[in-house]
Amino acid sequence: MPTADDELARLRSLVGPSEVAYAQLDDDLRAASDQLREAVLVTGQLRGELTEMSVQLARARQDQDTMQRRRAMGPMAHLADLCREYWRDAVRPVAGRLVRRTGLRRG
Amino acid sequence: MPTFSVVTAVYDPRIDDLRACLDSVDRQTWDSWQHVVVDDASTDPAVGDLLDADRTPGRRVLRRGTNGGIVAAGSDAIDAATGDFVVLLDHDDVLVPEALERLSAAIEAADDPESVDVLYTDHDLLRPDGRTASPVYKPDWSPERLRNHNYITHLVAIRRTLLDEVDGYRTGFDGAQDHDLLLRVCERARAVVHLPEVLLHWRQSPASVATDTGLKPDAYDAGRRAVADHLARTGVDATVEPGSHDGIYRIRRTVVGTPTVSVVIPTGGSTGRVWGRTRAFVHDAVASLVAAPPGVCHLEFVIVLDEPANPVVERGLRTIAGESLVMVHYDRPFDFSDKINAGVAAASGEFVLLLNDDTELHTAGSIDEMVGLAQQADVGMVGAKLLYADGTLQHGGHVYNATISHAMLGWPGDHPGPNRLLAVERECSGVTAAAALLRRDVFDGVGGMSLELPRNYNDVDLSLRIRRAGYRVIWTPHACWWHFEGRSFEHPIDPAEVAVIERDWRDELRNDPYYNSNLAPGRTDWLELPWRSGAPPYELLPNGTRVWA
């Protein structure tokens, strides 16, 4: 197992003849890494904003879809749609709570 | 059947707004109500004229000789209330016609109606043009969140006997009187019920806290004092400061004693490139904790290292952690749960921090933050904010909403989230074990990680068992790590693990109390169901100016 000093000497021989060259290379590497990190974070900020906007787009699209669907509905279809909503929002949650409370689902 | 007293303090509202408020009470589909209106010496004679002309049965109008402010007027109204429940209603807000009927039904539907002391509902904003906007779909009862901000606001109904018990509003808290009142009544409430329906339209105006929270600094100072008083009453040693965003408070808890936290890190000693440099993950995870300014807690590092191990990994750990290192050599086939259990078994701390090796501390003081929360007897587990290498959010608490995922995954890391949910400490259904802190007795008490779930969902199962044992699971934005998990990394999901989690937690995975039934199932980004998102709160012109419609 080579000692740490041996390894250090080997690395230094690879990068240049002087202590200054090695230190400069090390500084350059750190600076490059820092700059890359900054660039990655800026990209992430933009990516995050895209994610947020994609949610807003989904919101707009689904509302547009609902509006178009309702415009195309006749009165009976509209009534049926309202009944479905009432079932989903008012009846099913209460029934679900009752089922959970009585433990029927788990037997 | 419960009776309701709606109480309204009035001071110089726009007449049309007051009329709309009164009309909304008159149009209730529930008959058993009383409306107590206290005119706090309005200067606009039209207010007096409107109230004088009102002959609605059930409405009682009281007049104050001098203007005393919202607390004085509200207290007068509460004193005159005779119903079983007192419903708080601002002088320009509007109840939906079924509001009281739905409150009544919610009380009757409760497991024990007699124990329901506080009910609250969702609300939206009422724009000046009459359109409703920006609905706020709230979580079920979330006491930690209430400390961080008044997420309940309106509509709220409080059992009158409880209001009498706490002596109603307190003087000196004008502007934050409702938050102060809610904190005090909820300390004593037997049951706090959330009704996930928009039953109140909160009128929006440029002068209102509802639209621009920065306009009333006195109110936020009163709120800060209200939270500080609440913490003192409940035995939490902490200071309270203004939060990162208007309307929220930053609670800094004092860690009791100098506890030892065992940081349990299972690792294979792997390496990877992050920000252009190759790192040995576990070395950097430990080094980031060692290099941080020392906190109150002592740290012990329990590293569960796969065998056969690269000797360089262990040597490096000894150099970094020194005497604080406890090595556990793991020679069985990969099983994350078993590795965590083995690590905790070797730990000596009264707290354990479960930590992935591909992490790096982001915010100094994170462990003390988590311990401060976990020292509350009813808190079972505390999760942290995790950021991907690009700064986007990886973990903001779990959401179990016909899917198992992380709240607001991939959003900007500094985003406050809908209704500030990413900027406040709050209850969650679960948190990831990539960075989770527990008291050792809680971990042992629930039996540790399930060996039926060697790869996936073990933290979900652990969170749900902790909650079933009666503890709260809290997520905090004030403890934060980088998590270098690949964004596109797909965990191999074993169908057998899916079967186990579905067998044990089918209902819980579809009824997250900290989400809301008005939000789309299968998502964790607070996207509403179709047609429930309302209008935008204001119109934004192409030049960027806001127009209050």
Side-chain angles (χ1 to χ4, degrees):
Chain A
M1 180 66 66
T3 65
D5 286 344
D6 291 342
E7 180 66 2
L8 193 60
R10 189 184 69 80
L11 289 172
R12 283 177 178 168
S13 71
L14 289 176
V15 297
S18 71
E19 189 75 22
V20 173
Y22 180 81
Q24 279 180 347
L25 189 63
D26 195 46
D27 288 347
D28 286 350
L29 181 61
R30 285 180 195 282
S33 179
D34 289 347
Q35 287 189 5
L36 177 61
R37 176 181 158 137
E38 287 307 310
V40 168
L41 291 175
V42 169
T43 308
Q45 182 67 29
L46 293 172
R47 187 182 284 132
E49 288 172 14
L50 278 177
T51 303
E52 182 181 358
M53 282 193 286
S54 74
V55 176
Q56 292 174 0
L57 183 62
R59 181 176 290 127
R61 278 185 167 160
Q62 67 180 17
D63 285 351
Q64 183 186 36
D65 176 66
T66 303
M67 191 167 65
Q68 287 177 340
R69 205 163 40 83
R70 285 189 174 169
R71 275 184 63 188
M73 279 177 186
M76 291 310 292
H78 194 196
L79 183 63
D81 195 50
L82 291 175
C83 289
R84 263 196 305 274
E85 265 192 23
Y86 183 74
W87 169 261
R88 184 188 65 198
D89 302 343
V91 178
R92 201 168 59 184
V94 173
R97 273 200 296 275
L98 286 173
V99 167
R100 278 196 296 280
R101 206 194 304 170
T102 53
L104 288 178
R105 185 173 287 175
R106 288 201 167 158
Chain B
M1 290 295 175
T3 56
F4 296 98
S5 291
V6 182
V7 297
T8 304
V10 175
Y11 181 69
D12 281 349
R14 287 183 62 241
I15 288 302
D16 287 347
D17 296 347
L18 177 60
R19 187 176 288 117
C21 170
L22 301 179
D23 286 350
S24 76
V25 178
D26 297 347
R27 290 178 187 150
Q28 287 301 299
T29 56
W30 183 255
D31 291 333
S32 299
W33 57 261
Q34 171 204 29
H35 190 190
V36 181
V37 179
V38 174
D39 180 13
D40 193 16
S42 293
T43 58
D44 181 355
V47 173
D49 294 345
L50 178 65
L51 294 176
D52 284 343
D54 191 278
R55 295 286 181 269
T56 306
R59 178 166 294 125
R60 185 175 174 200
V61 177
L62 305 174
R63 295 182 188 283
R64 292 179 53 83
T66 55
N67 177 257
I70 183 69
V71 166
S75 297
D76 288 355
I78 290 172
D79 288 346
T82 57
D84 299 322
F85 285 86
V86 172
V87 178
L88 309 176
L89 180 66
D90 285 353
H91 61 192
D92 53 358
D93 292 344
V94 172
L95 292 175
V96 305
E98 303 82 12
L100 299 182
E101 183 181 356
R102 298 298 301 141
L103 288 175
S104 173
I107 295 166
E108 293 304 313
D111 291 342
D112 177 11
E114 289 303 312
S115 71
V116 175
D117 285 332
V118 179
L119 296 96
Y120 64 95
T121 77
D122 300 337
H123 74 266
D124 59 15
L125 302 183
L126 187 57
R127 298 192 345 172
D129 62 358
R131 295 175 70 192
T132 54
S134 306
V136 180
Y137 296 123
K138 304 166 191 175
D140 285 355
W141 171 226
S142 183
E144 207 62 50
R145 188 164 177 176
L146 186 62
R147 289 170 167 168
N148 280 248
H149 71 150
N150 183 5
Y151 79 93
I152 291 178
T153 57
H154 291 174
L155 180 67
V156 64
I158 304 168
R159 193 176 286 277
R160 189 170 52 84
T161 50
L162 183 56
L163 268 179
D164 292 342
E165 216 177 286
V166 303
D167 215 12
Y169 286 129
R170 284 199 298 172
T171 54
F173 289 87
D174 289 61
Q177 71 282 350
D178 289 343
H179 194 188
D180 178 60
L181 182 66
L182 284 168
L183 287 165
R184 286 183 293 119
V185 297
C186 290
E187 288 165 20
R188 300 180 184 217
R190 292 164 296 173
V192 180
V193 172
H194 167 227
L195 184 55
E197 297 177 29
V198 172
L199 297 183
L200 176 126
H201 307 305
W202 189 351
R203 192 174 298 278
Q204 183 187 39
S205 72
S208 160
V209 170
T211 40
D212 188 346
T213 50
L215 290 177
K216 294 187 175 178
D218 289 349
Y220 293 118
D221 183 58
R224 188 191 57 74
R225 286 185 285 110
V227 174
D229 286 0
H230 158 77
L231 293 170
R233 285 192 303 272
T234 52
V236 178
D237 185 6
T239 59
V240 184
E241 303 164 4
S244 57
H245 297 79
D246 283 345
I248 66 175
Y249 306 103
R250 173 74 163 95
I251 299 170
R252 295 185 190 275
R253 293 168 184 77
T254 304
V255 172
V256 179
T258 52
T260 296
V261 176
S262 298
V263 183
V264 176
I265 307 179
T267 182
S270 60
T271 59
R273 282 181 79 77
V274 176
W275 298 319
R277 302 190 78 164
T278 300
R279 61 168 63 199
F281 283 122
V282 69
H283 286 173
D284 284 19
V286 174
S288 68
L289 290 168
V290 170
V296 174
C297 302
H298 294 302
L299 299 186
E300 170 189 73
F301 297 96
V302 182
I303 309 299
V304 186
L305 182 61
D306 290 343
E307 290 288 347
N310 181 346
V312 173
V313 174
E314 183 166 344
R315 257 202 321 271
L317 285 166
R318 293 207 179 281
T319 304
I320 295 165
E323 296 297 310
S324 306
L325 183 67
V326 175
M327 288 300 304
V328 177
H329 294 278
Y330 189 81
D331 58 4
R332 297 188 285 277
F334 178 82
D335 183 328
F336 182 82
S337 297
D338 192 37
K339 287 171 77 173
I340 289 286
N341 290 345
V344 174
S348 67
E350 56 203 281
F351 292 91
V352 289
L353 172 64
L354 313 181
L355 191 67
N356 276 18
D357 64 349
D358 55 349
T359 57
E360 178 183 316
L361 184 67
H362 176 283
T363 305
S366 290
I367 292 180
D368 285 355
E369 284 287 345
M370 297 169 92
V371 169
L373 281 161
Q375 283 185 326
Q376 299 176 83
D378 64 341
V379 172
M381 181 153 67
V382 180
K385 180 177 184 174
L386 299 182
L387 301 175
Y388 285 120
D390 67 0
T392 54
L393 188 67
Q394 192 266 320
H395 183 69
H398 276 164
V399 174
Y400 309 144
N401 177 37
T403 185
I404 299 171
S405 190
H406 309 274
M408 315 303 292
L409 184 70
W411 280 52
D414 57 356
H415 200 291
N419 202 24
R420 308 282 197 247
L421 73 93
L422 295 176
V424 296
E425 300 158 326
R426 65 184 209 282
E427 281 78 5
C428 283
S429 279
V431 292
T432 176
L437 186 133
L438 306 88
R439 288 199 309 277
R440 173 67 183 271
D441 63 285
V442 172
F443 186 88
D444 291 342
V446 299
M449 287 270 197
S450 168
L451 298 183
E452 284 192 286
L453 298 164
R455 286 181 179 273
N456 297 286
Y457 308 134
N458 32 52
D459 48 6
V460 176
D461 174 76
L462 180 66
S463 299
L464 289 169
R465 278 189 286 124
I466 286 171
R467 284 184 44 227
R468 189 169 62 188
Y471 297 106
R472 294 183 288 143
V473 173
I474 308 287
W475 177 84
T476 175
H478 307 310
C480 185
W481 272 264
W482 298 104
H483 188 197
F484 304 119
E485 182 180 72
R487 175 186 291 281
S488 59
F489 176 67
E490 293 286 340
H491 291 276
I493 305 286
D494 182 347
E497 291 184 310
V498 176
V500 168
I501 201 80
E502 283 287 332
R503 178 197 70 199
D504 292 347
W505 304 109
R506 182 180 166 73
D507 284 352
E508 288 78 1
L509 297 179
R510 286 161 182 77
N511 296 282
D512 190 326
Y514 305 111
Y515 213 56
N516 189 299
S517 55
N518 290 289
L519 303 173
R523 300 188 64 119
T524 61
D525 50 16
W526 269 251
L527 175 68
E528 303 85 352
L529 284 167
W531 216 242
R532 298 195 194 186
S533 48
Y538 46 77
E539 304 297 339
L540 196 61
L541 298 182
N543 65 8
T545 55
R546 293 176 178 184
V547 175
W548 304 94

